[in-house]
Amino acid sequence: MEITVFGLGYVGCVTAACLADMGHKVTGVDLQQLKVALITTGRSPVIEPGLGELMLSGVQAGRLEAIQCVQRLGDLSLICVGTPGHDNGSLDLTQVERVVTQIGELLREKNSFHVVVVRSTVLPGTLDNVVRPLLEQTSGKKEGKDFGICMNPEFMRESTAIHDFYHPPFTVIGTRSDRAAETVAAIYSSVTAPVERTSILIAELIKYASNAFHAIKVCFANEIGNLSERMGIDSHQVMEIFCKDTKLNISPSYLKPGFAFGGSCLPKDLRAILYKSKQLDLELPMLSAVLGTNRQQVERAVDLIRKAGKNRVGVLGLSFKAGTDDLRESPIVVLIETLIGKGHKLAIYDEEVALARLIGANKTYIEQAIPHIASLMVRSPEEAIETSDVVVVGKNNPTIQQAVASHSDCKLIIDLVRLPRKAIGASRNYKGICW
């Protein structure tokens, strides 16, 4: 395939060299004459292990060239220019806009379908609000009919970029066009990684989500390391054992957007760590922010319910998670307390808690700590739904799924646990938190 790579910085150089190595005919475009001259002689303008040899091989094979001014487009254009940040965190899209304008002008003279791929890291909304309008304006053509746009983020690390290019965790292609998606997937056909076809917005955000999580992991390890050091504990051994847990610690567990955490362990243990750090005169800024972030999820749910403008609220689920009657630090209890305080009339159903009122270990807690809530409990999810205008789903089990499915068309459902879609059908009276 004939590919034009706009921008010969770090991402552009690695991408161009690797695509040429895969057999594509690649033309790199950059305003800086020095970069163009170096690549033309088979040398890399950036420091990266193995990149110089790869570029030399591509140039000698006639599959890689570099120019300052492009006169025609190939089958596909890859935008790899920089998007530097301003002091306030906003992105400078000057280079993106310049290249998009250039591509649009060349598209005006092109008769065949062309695919424009953004590989630069840009915030969600950039392709739809900047790239597409600018392309249509400068080319006089329409997306979907004359050209396609894709978001194809890269996941390469400096010093291991070539290996990362050939062995990414996945190849993300965000687009509205099947034809564009197939074209982009084809250029990576020899890359051993699953292709994730998704929306443009998701493809734009996934790079930021990944990098934010990587930053959090570094800070988490450092805060645990600092705490360990103050207590004379080997932090590396702590984290070595920690990482061996691939069921909860290094896994998809707990990484599904939804409601707040609760229960007898997470809040208590986090507070204990923070108390110990204060005794040691040690600041743990990231861990200190966790409980506040958790409270905000409860507040978001309260706001969502209040904005519905209804007074009668049914709540399905009371304990902190499904399959238990444990009410200790349940975020649903906090939510209910808040709604009661704001004058809402509640009907609450929870099968496990109802049983605990009779025989469970939480019987005393229910009777003494939250008797006002216990008195609002009803015998079935149907009763809670039928006596309410808004239904809050705080627990996921077959009984609740069936009850919600049979009432989803006539009640406003606010889902905090993300029920399976088949449980709610295509109801328009459905809202969730974090989705």
Side-chain angles (χ1 to χ4, degrees), residues 309-330:
K310 306 293 184 180
N311 189 50
R312 301 187 305 166
V313 180
V315 180
L316 306 180
L318 185 57
S319 60
F320 84 98
K321 69 175 183 178
T324 179
D325 64 350
D326 195 346
L327 296 171
R328 287 172 292 180
E329 304 213 42
S330 169

Side-chain angles (χ1 to χ4, degrees), residues 76-77 79 100 103 107 113-118 125-136 142-152 173-181 184 197-201 203-204:
L76 179 145
S77 294
I79 299 175
V100 169
I103 294 172
L107 268 177
F113 188 83
H114 188 73
V115 181
V116 180
V117 181
V118 177
T126 302
L127 268 71
D128 283 335
N129 299 326
V130 178
V131 174
R132 179 180 56 79
L134 196 52
L135 280 173
E136 291 185 336
K142 290 294 181 182
E143 185 225 349
K145 177 185 176 183
D146 305 303
F147 66 89
I149 58 173
C150 293
M151 182 66 199
N152 172 225
I173 301 173
T175 184
R176 285 179 287 270
S177 166
D178 291 338
R179 186 174 180 181
V184 176
R197 166 79 185 275
T198 186
S199 71
I200 289 174
L201 288 172
E204 287 173 315

Side-chain angles (χ1 to χ4, degrees), residues 27 32 45 79 110 117 125 151 175 177 193 224 246-247 263 312-313 317 322 342 367 383:
T27 298
Q32 294 187 30
I79 299 175
K110 189 175 175 63
V117 181
M151 182 66 199
T175 184
S177 166
I224 295 298
T246 56
K247 293 183 179 179
R312 301 187 305 166
V313 180
K342 292 184 179 295
E367 293 175 346
E383 185 179 350

